[in-house]
């Protein structure tokens, strides 16, 4: 199959990814959400593929592990895998072992199945186990999506169980319980990078998305970072893996293809206005650190370097206020919105521009813009509010303006730049896309209803766009 920037298998959506780096390769286990589960080709359960560079993927192998997200660990010459199941409304953790040493043949150890204790942890939620071996303690720590037993509703937490043998588990108090979330903190992931420990989790209540907290090595208390939420609403179930030099964050950008939850609006038929599905396309961010220990999300160089063929810029100025130099476009009006239209967007491309913000309240790009710039997808910076924003064409229409019950469609926090420079990079493939700012913040989104249209630049106030470039791939990869 032709290589994809945002991976999904034919006839299926990519759900939760369980990434591991084993013997020089990334082993990507994932929950495969078949669009038609009754299709004779559909094989339920986990699937596995491998990659050395996160560009070229092997064929998928069904491993016949049933249930939800989990983890695997190697101990005493044997692989152990933990997942979760949901029989008759209950939630239980399951244990598998690999008898032949492979990553594809797993035996279910039924007697090791266990659920919440009903004392520390509420019986309603118990899933997504993540296993870490604490060598200094001689213990396995299992982190879980759970809810604490308490006298209020905001009991979502990351639970903890401890074992010496991966069979008998002792319940311990939660490792993170902020008293803030009405639902379990899903897909917990724990890792160390430099002098910091990180705990990443996903939440479907309070504010849908991925969060993280940090703790300096040698200390005990979790700290809330400046960018507490990673990416935005259209990125979920994030887990990480690395080779010891680089670390990556794997999640999914949901589609809007099926009315799974019954929330689609009846009158407005635009697909962009539909609700999100469970699962979609795989998104991979590069993880690194700020000097203060906060995490950075950047576009992996391996993916960016695939786009090696520049596309010549074609410019059509539509409003007053522009001053043009060689690959430097200045919006000079302080109180006006200035817009220009460029060449059409291909199905997949890499876009980059360096925006130097003067007094602009908003400045960025318009994707899939029409000739009058009356429609398009706006991706822009709001420096005074410290955020990157996505706004769809529906906002440009009276009907869309009336029916949206909220102010901002998608947003991600961005740190203020001391020199007012913001490097905006965007990767697109079909309806899927992700924007990055200054190699520190990411925002994933979808574009369904508009295609085959132009690229635009806009600024509400004064700003400068330097080195604006579109690149495509000269060679496809498989």
């Amino acid at each position: 199959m032709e290589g994809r920037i945002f991976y999904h298998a034919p006839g299926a959506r990519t759900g939760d990814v369980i990434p591991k780096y084993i013997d020089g390769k990334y082993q990507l286990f994932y929950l495969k959400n078949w669009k038609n589960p009754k299709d004779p080709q559909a094989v339920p359960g986990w699937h596995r593929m491998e990659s050395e560079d996160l560009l070229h993927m092997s064929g998928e192998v069904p491993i016949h592990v049933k249930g939800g997200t989990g983890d695997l660990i190697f101990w005493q010459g044997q692989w152990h895998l933990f997942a979760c199941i949901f029989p008759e409304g209950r939630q239980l953790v399951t244990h598998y072992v690999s008898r032949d040493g492979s990553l594809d043949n797993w035996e279910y150890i039924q007697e090791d199945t266990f659920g919440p204790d009903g004392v520390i942890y509420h019986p309603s939620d118990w899933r997504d186990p993540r296993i870490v071996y604490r060598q200094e303690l001689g213990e396995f720590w299992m982190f879980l999506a759970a809810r604490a037993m308490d006298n209020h509703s905001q009991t979502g937490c990351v639970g903890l169980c401890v074992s010496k043998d991966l069979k008998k588990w002792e319940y311990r108090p939660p490792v993170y319980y902020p008293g803030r979330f009405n639902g379990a903190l899903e897909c917990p992931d724990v890792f160390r990078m430099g002098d910091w420990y990180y705990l990443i989790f996903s939440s479907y209540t309070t504010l849908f998305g991925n969060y993280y907290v940090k703790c300096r090595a040698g200390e005990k208390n979790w700290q809330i970072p400046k960018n507490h939420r990673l990416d935005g609403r259209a990125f979920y179930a994030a887990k990480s893996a690395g080779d010891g030099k680089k670390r990556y964050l794997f999640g999914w950008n949901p589609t809007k293809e099926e009315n799974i939850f019954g929330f689609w609006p009846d009158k407005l038929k635009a697909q962009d206005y539909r609700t999100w599905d469970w699962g979609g396309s795989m998104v991979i961010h590069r993880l690194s650190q700020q000097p203060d220990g906060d995490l950075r999300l950047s576009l992996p160089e391996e993916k960016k370097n695939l786009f090696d063929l520049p596309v010549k810029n074609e410019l059509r100025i539509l409003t007053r206020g522009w001053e043009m130099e060689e690959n430097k476009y200045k919006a000079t009006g302080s109180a006006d919105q200035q817009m220009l239209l460029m060449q059409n967007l291909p199905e997949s491309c890499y876009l980059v521009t360096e925006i130097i913000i003067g007094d602009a309240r908003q400045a960025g790009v318009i994707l899939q813009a029409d000739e009058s710039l009356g429609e398009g997808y706006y991706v822009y910076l709001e420096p005074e509010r410290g955020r990157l924003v996505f706004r769809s064409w529906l906002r440009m229409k009276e009907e869309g303006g009336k029916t949206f019950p909220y102010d901002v469609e998608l947003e991600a926090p961005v740190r203020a730049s001391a020199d007012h420079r913001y490097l905006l990079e965007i990767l697109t493939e079909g309806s899927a896309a992700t924007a990055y700012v200054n190699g520190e913040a990411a925002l994933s989104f979808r574009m369904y209803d508009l295609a085959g249209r132009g690229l635009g630049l806009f600024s509400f106030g004064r700003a400068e766009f330097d080195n604006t470039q579109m690149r495509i791939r000269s060679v496809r990869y498989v």
Side-chain angles (χ1 to χ4, degrees), residues 55-68:
L55 297 175
H56 303 82
M57 301 290 182
S58 71
E60 291 190 8
V61 178
I63 67 171
H64 306 289
V65 170
K66 304 293 180 62

Side-chain angles (χ1 to χ4, degrees), residues 148 284 296 371 407:
I284 305 173
R296 304 171 63 104
E371 291 294 310
D407 183 40

